[in-house]
Amino acid sequence: MNGITLLEYVGVFAFAISGASIAMREDFDLLGIYILGMVTAMGGGIIRDIVTQQGIPIFFTSYGAILVIFIATTLAIFLRGKWDDHMLFVTVDAIGLAAFVVSSGIKAIDNHYNLVLFIFVTSITGVGGGLLRDIFARRKPMIFQSDIYCIAGIIGALVLKGAYPFLGKSLSVYLSLIVIVTIRMFCYLKNINLPKVKHFSSKTESQVNF
Amino acid sequence: MNGITLLEYVGVFAFAISGASIAMREDFDLLGIYILGMVTAMGGGIIRDIVTQQGIPIFFTSYGAILVIFIATTLAIFLRGKWDDHMLFVTVDAIGLAAFVVSSGIKAIDNHYNLVLFIFVTSITGVGGGLLRDIFARRKPMIFQSDIYCIAGIIGALVLKGAYPFLGKSLSVYLSLIVIVTIRMFCYLKNINLPKVKHFSSKTESQVNF
Amino acid sequence: MNGITLLEYVGVFAFAISGASIAMREDFDLLGIYILGMVTAMGGGIIRDIVTQQGIPIFFTSYGAILVIFIATTLAIFLRGKWDDHMLFVTVDAIGLAAFVVSSGIKAIDNHYNLVLFIFVTSITGVGGGLLRDIFARRKPMIFQSDIYCIAGIIGALVLKGAYPFLGKSLSVYLSLIVIVTIRMFCYLKNINLPKVKHFSSKTESQVNF
């Protein structure tokens, strides 16, 4: 097991906990909690593999990841969400985001994807599980509305792609991981968010025409 | 037409009715009612075929299934949801769930899928249509929150996989069908559900950090 | 660049504006606004390419489309939704729907898809982006509930398929485009909608059994 794989397990662990925690908040039953933990941890990679038509998504043969998801979800059930806002959890989640972005970024570079597809696969791997989690739990997708999260992943992915030809694989991987975790944690601690744009109208949904 | 195919049509019929009925409750227009009937009946199999990269999903060439969906949705429109809670409907729906799980389970065994993928394809075939139905209708996905439904399918799938090498195809198929319908109906009649886990916090959505 | 490609850009433009506008209404941050613009403009074509297993969706190499999306979303941010109900916008959107339906219909005819798949790919290309937009923004999918929109696309697609063997490609394309835009605009201006079916029951969600 190399370093990125180890960090990916950290990501799987953090994402499974976030899925399980949302599931408990939303009153899912026991099976639903485990399913949402699994969807959150594996969803991004599965969407990536489906969109890029890579055959059966690799997560279905990742027994290690599935074991980690089972342990994380079980832990979340015992904690019952008590650590959701704990700095430790936010840090672990940021490491997971970084690991997912970087590992899919390396694969995308190896596959010679163009820039658009490169940004898509790195982003969807990092945030796709959380997006599915919010859709299944019928919540407003968090990634669109709060925190410097997805954008930290995109910046880190671009750093990886830009640095790779000059620094080589190892150094650009470390650099990208550090960039993502630093941006994410700095903005989290300083409560920095992306700007929003106020819609001029206050019309209700039923009045919209398209 | 063999026995499983016949039961699959029973499932298509029941799922189309449930989709059409939810569509009427949610104030869909006439086209929306037919679309939701189709999505509910065909969605699980289509997701399965997409995730396992089987080429164009087989449902698009299942004229028989499409005819059944059309008839079921039209019937649902005339009934306007009157039979939704009728024992007959719940029984027909349970038979449909069982047929979808077993028919996809046989295919998965023939394809030598590993256990994880086996559970995924049988479950998603059985409950994926209902999940899409609830997402399109913006409802909380029922399968995560109420009734012994998805878990009945998973148990039946495991029975199929476990019994197949010993009992052969026919007997293990019958056994699995009986297990699923029995568990589903028994728990429905006795009002047995999976346990839930209470989240310790009552924080509102906007306070969550991930 | 031929005529259909040009009209497709019109569609990309209109769909990106509608996505960005909904994103602003729903309080998305700046990145979320651009993402929803992109999802709305490209989502239908991407779903089509995934379901029909065409390899990596072509939109990921359509730099022209991505540029148009960027411009349209930026424009929408400056307008802040002021033109949402403007006749010009509704007309541009109708042209876009027509272009998406017709261009995917031509491809479907070239691929000899059967009627079911033909209707699916033309419809999902035309309305799939708006469906994803509404799911991501947690709104009731508009296409199921209001306006003659999806049905205009389906009628136009059938006109294309029916006229193609007799009129040839060019004439049947023009005819189909005119049919879709005319039906859509006529029904919009006359406020004509598909009928709805009232569900006999007023039960709340939690009482539903499936």
Side-chain angles (χ1 to χ4, degrees):
Chain A
M1 187 191 295
N2 61 31
I4 297 184
T5 309
L6 187 67
L7 290 178
E8 279 186 308
Y9 281 125
V10 173
V12 164
F13 186 86
F15 291 174
I17 285 190
S18 96
S21 194
I22 294 276
M24 288 183 284
R25 279 178 204 268
E26 297 288 338
D27 211 26
F28 281 33
D29 67 21
L30 198 58
L31 180 66
I33 296 169
Y34 279 95
I35 291 177
L36 206 65
M38 189 159 289
V39 165
T40 310
M42 300 176 34
I46 290 174
I47 296 175
R48 176 199 61 205
D49 290 347
I50 290 172
V51 173
T52 55
Q53 309 257 318
Q54 294 290 304
I56 292 175
I58 53 163
F59 254 125
F60 288 115
T61 52
S62 308
Y63 293 109
I66 290 159
L67 182 66
V68 169
I69 292 168
F70 185 80
I71 292 170
T73 306
T74 306
L75 181 66
I77 288 170
F78 279 102
L79 290 176
R80 291 193 293 145
K82 268 176 201 143
W83 279 16
D84 283 7
D85 300 322
H86 196 284
M87 262 301 288
L88 181 66
F89 176 77
V90 178
T91 311
V92 166
D93 185 77
I95 294 171
L97 168 69
F100 273 39
V101 167
V102 169
S103 71
S104 61
I106 291 293
K107 269 184 235 160
I109 290 172
D110 289 345
N111 285 335
H112 304 290
Y113 288 161
N114 70 29
L115 184 64
V116 179
L117 194 54
F118 176 80
I119 292 175
F120 173 78
V121 297
T122 50
S123 300
I124 202 73
T125 309
V127 306
L131 180 60
L132 278 187
R133 174 200 66 203
D134 292 341
I135 290 173
F136 283 17
R138 218 177 53 162
R139 299 166 76 93
K140 289 222 174 194
M142 286 297 119
I143 56 154
F144 293 144
Q145 295 187 82
S146 59
D147 298 345
I148 301 292
Y149 192 89
C150 184
I151 191 76
I154 293 175
I155 293 170
L158 292 175
V159 165
L160 177 72
K161 195 175 170 71
Y164 194 93
F166 304 104
L167 303 183
K169 187 167 161 179
S170 288
L171 269 181
S172 53
V173 161
Y174 286 125
L175 185 62
S176 174
L177 289 170
I178 290 169
V179 164
I180 296 171
V181 174
T182 304
I183 294 177
R184 167 68 184 135
M185 293 311 296
F186 180 80
C187 296
Y188 174 76
L189 293 173
K190 298 287 184 186
N191 201 20
I192 297 170
N193 296 298
L194 285 176
K196 296 189 173 182
V197 182
K198 206 157 170 47
H199 195 281
F200 94 103
S201 155
S202 61
K203 284 188 303 185
T204 59
E205 186 173 317
S206 59
Q207 294 168 277
V208 182
N209 284 88
F210 44 81
Chain B
M1 186 191 296
N2 62 31
I4 296 183
T5 308
L6 187 67
L7 290 178
E8 278 186 307
Y9 282 125
V10 174
V12 164
F13 186 86
F15 291 174
I17 284 190
S18 95
S21 194
I22 294 276
M24 287 183 285
R25 280 177 203 267
E26 297 288 337
D27 211 25
F28 281 32
D29 66 20
L30 199 58
L31 179 66
I33 296 168
Y34 279 95
I35 291 177
L36 206 65
M38 190 159 288
V39 164
T40 309
M42 299 175 37
I46 289 174
I47 296 176
R48 177 198 60 206
D49 290 348
I50 290 173
V51 173
T52 55
Q53 308 259 315
Q54 295 290 301
I56 293 174
I58 53 165
F59 254 124
F60 289 113
T61 52
S62 308
Y63 294 109
I66 290 159
L67 182 66
V68 170
I69 291 168
F70 184 81
I71 293 170
T73 305
T74 306
L75 181 66
I77 289 170
F78 280 102
L79 290 176
R80 291 193 293 146
K82 269 177 199 142
W83 278 16
D84 283 8
D85 301 321
H86 196 284
M87 262 302 286
L88 180 65
F89 176 76
V90 178
T91 311
V92 166
D93 184 76
I95 294 171
L97 168 69
F100 272 39
V101 167
V102 168
S103 70
S104 60
I106 291 293
K107 271 184 234 161
I109 290 172
D110 288 345
N111 285 335
H112 305 290
Y113 288 161
N114 71 29
L115 185 64
V116 178
L117 194 55
F118 176 80
I119 292 175
F120 173 79
V121 297
T122 50
S123 300
I124 202 72
T125 310
V127 306
L131 180 60
L132 277 186
R133 173 199 67 204
D134 292 341
I135 290 172
F136 283 17
R138 219 178 51 163
R139 299 166 76 94
K140 289 221 175 194
M142 286 297 118
I143 58 154
F144 293 143
Q145 296 187 81
S146 60
D147 297 345
I148 302 291
Y149 191 89
C150 184
I151 191 76
I154 292 175
I155 293 170
L158 292 174
V159 165
L160 177 71
K161 196 174 170 70
Y164 194 93
F166 304 104
L167 303 183
K169 186 168 162 179
S170 287
L171 270 181
S172 52
V173 161
Y174 286 126
L175 184 62
S176 173
L177 289 170
I178 291 168
V179 164
I180 296 171
V181 174
T182 304
I183 293 177
R184 167 68 183 136
M185 293 312 295
F186 180 81
C187 295
Y188 173 77
L189 294 172
K190 298 287 185 187
N191 201 20
I192 296 170
N193 295 298
L194 286 176
K196 296 188 174 183
V197 181
K198 206 158 171 46
H199 194 281
F200 93 103
S201 155
S202 61
K203 284 187 302 184
T204 59
E205 186 173 316
S206 59
Q207 295 168 277
V208 182
N209 284 88
F210 44 81
Chain C
M1 187 191 294
N2 61 32
I4 295 184
T5 308
L6 187 67
L7 289 179
E8 279 186 307
Y9 282 125
V10 173
V12 164
F13 186 86
F15 290 176
I17 284 190
S18 95
S21 193
I22 294 276
M24 288 182 285
R25 279 176 205 267
E26 297 288 338
D27 210 25
F28 281 33
D29 67 22
L30 199 58
L31 180 67
I33 296 168
Y34 279 95
I35 291 177
L36 206 64
M38 191 159 287
V39 164
T40 310
M42 300 175 36
I46 289 175
I47 296 176
R48 176 199 61 205
D49 290 348
I50 291 173
V51 173
T52 55
Q53 309 258 317
Q54 294 289 303
I56 293 175
I58 53 163
F59 254 124
F60 288 114
T61 52
S62 308
Y63 294 109
I66 290 159
L67 182 66
V68 169
I69 292 168
F70 185 80
I71 293 169
T73 305
T74 305
L75 181 67
I77 288 171
F78 279 102
L79 291 175
R80 291 194 292 147
K82 268 175 200 142
W83 279 17
D84 282 8
D85 300 321
H86 196 283
M87 261 301 286
L88 180 65
F89 176 77
V90 178
T91 311
V92 166
D93 185 76
I95 294 171
L97 168 68
F100 273 38
V101 166
V102 169
S103 70
S104 61
I106 291 292
K107 270 184 235 160
I109 290 172
D110 288 345
N111 286 334
H112 304 290
Y113 287 162
N114 70 30
L115 185 63
V116 178
L117 194 54
F118 176 80
I119 293 175
F120 173 78
V121 297
T122 50
S123 300
I124 202 73
T125 309
V127 306
L131 181 59
L132 279 186
R133 175 199 65 204
D134 292 341
I135 290 174
F136 282 17
R138 218 177 52 161
R139 299 166 76 92
K140 289 222 173 194
M142 285 298 119
I143 58 154
F144 293 145
Q145 296 187 82
S146 58
D147 299 344
I148 301 292
Y149 192 90
C150 184
I151 191 75
I154 293 175
I155 293 169
L158 292 174
V159 165
L160 177 71
K161 196 175 170 70
Y164 193 93
F166 304 105
L167 303 182
K169 187 168 162 179
S170 288
L171 269 182
S172 52
V173 161
Y174 288 124
L175 184 63
S176 174
L177 289 170
I178 291 168
V179 164
I180 296 171
V181 174
T182 305
I183 294 177
R184 167 69 183 137
M185 294 311 296
F186 180 81
C187 294
Y188 174 77
L189 293 172
K190 298 287 184 188
N191 200 20
I192 297 170
N193 295 298
L194 286 176
K196 295 187 174 184
V197 181
K198 206 161 169 43
H199 195 280
F200 93 103
S201 156
S202 61
K203 284 187 302 183
T204 59
E205 188 173 314
S206 59
Q207 296 169 277
V208 182
N209 284 89
F210 44 82

